[in-house]
Amino acid sequence: MTACSGQEKLVPEWLKLPHAERGNRIGIFGGSFNPAHSGHLLVAETALKRLDLDQVWWLVTPGNPLKDHAELAPLEMRVHMTSALANHPKMRVCAHEVILGSPYTAKTIQLLKRKRPALNFVWIMGADNLAGFHHWQDWRSIVQTVPIAIIDRPGSSLATLGAPLAKAYERQRVAEEDASLLADLKPPAWTFLHSALDNTSSTGLRQKKIP
């Protein structure tokens, strides 16, 4: 990851949706990425490989409605740092939510599907987000709109057992060995992928910068 001066500009190209061909399987990896780190990259790499995706789009949000923005770095800085980290031929970084005008995942997914109806989207998230997923606005709408891949994170392996999503959609869970089929399934459909674990966290990285 390259250092950022804080004076970066948001490249207009990053406000656009990445190019993809009809029928491509696209993983949407949304988040504040404040900052993006090796744990995020491991989640993206795991999803790319195990779900047999054509691309992973890192969707850097202007601000998570459920998080305190006091320590939120400027969007331009976060996009630049995320782009430096996600240096992979099948990964793209954008800040298209600025154009969409909504910070809520449910609305973002609806608009993405409307804009790119010929693509097969999968929502990607780390398992550390699963316990609070039911607090997201219209969380059931998300599950009903797009398949979801939940990637293991340290301390979150057992989160699937008690999370409201897991309980409410127990019958729609796709076996881990069948994860490569997820992008082609009609929602609701979700899977939990065990993977190597990386203890790096955005909170920990921010705390290290506090004198």
Side-chain angles (χ1 to χ4, degrees):
M1 184 185 302
T2 57
C4 292
S5 66
Q7 301 299 319
E8 296 80 6
K9 299 298 183 183
L10 194 61
V11 179
E13 191 68 22
W14 282 336
L15 294 175
K16 302 177 183 178
L17 285 179
H19 172 75
E21 299 293 336
R22 174 179 292 273
N24 276 180
R25 301 145 68 93
I26 308 297
I28 302 296
F29 189 23
S32 302
F33 302 116
N34 186 40
H37 54 71
S38 57
H40 290 134
L41 183 59
L42 181 58
V43 167
E45 289 175 337
T46 299
L48 182 66
K49 180 179 180 180
R50 301 277 298 278
L51 303 178
D52 193 21
L53 300 175
D54 294 293
Q55 296 180 34
V56 171
W57 293 356
W58 297 58
L59 195 63
V60 186
T61 180
N64 187 328
L66 295 179
K67 293 184 179 180
D68 183 2
H69 292 185
E71 296 182 351
L72 187 64
L75 178 60
E76 294 85 353
M77 180 183 295
R78 290 184 283 118
V79 171
H80 275 266
M81 295 182 74
T82 302
S83 181
L85 179 71
N87 185 19
H88 187 286
K90 290 188 175 182
M91 294 187 187
R92 304 287 185 269
V93 177
C94 72
H96 193 67
E97 276 190 324
V98 172
I99 304 299
L100 297 180
S102 172
Y104 296 106
T105 298
K107 185 65 173 179
T108 293
I109 290 174
Q110 290 173 1
L111 292 173
L112 287 179
K113 285 178 67 67
R114 191 178 305 164
K115 284 190 168 189
R116 299 289 182 87
L119 301 181
N120 297 330
F121 289 114
V122 176
W123 180 258
I124 300 168
M125 67 180 183
D128 45 348
N129 287 312
L130 183 57
F133 183 73
H134 60 290
H135 294 303
W136 294 21
Q137 186 180 75
D138 296 331
W139 70 275
R140 288 180 180 271
S141 171
I142 299 172
V143 183
Q144 296 285 344
T145 303
V146 68
I148 297 175
I150 301 161
I151 316 299
D152 205 2
R153 287 282 290 151
S156 302
S157 298
L158 298 178
T160 61
L161 300 178
L165 182 154
K167 290 183 177 180
Y169 296 94
E170 180 180 2
R171 294 184 178 182
Q172 285 75 38
R173 181 173 179 175
V174 176
E176 193 165 352
E177 58 267 27
D178 295 327
S180 62
L181 305 175
L182 188 68
D184 296 323
L185 297 179
K186 182 179 179 180
W190 66 282
T191 192
F192 186 98
L193 300 180
H194 293 86
S195 70
L197 298 177
D198 184 322
N199 287 304
T200 310
S201 72
S202 296
T203 300
L205 292 174
R206 292 196 303 272
Q207 290 176 342
K208 286 183 180 180
K209 295 181 180 180
I210 298 176

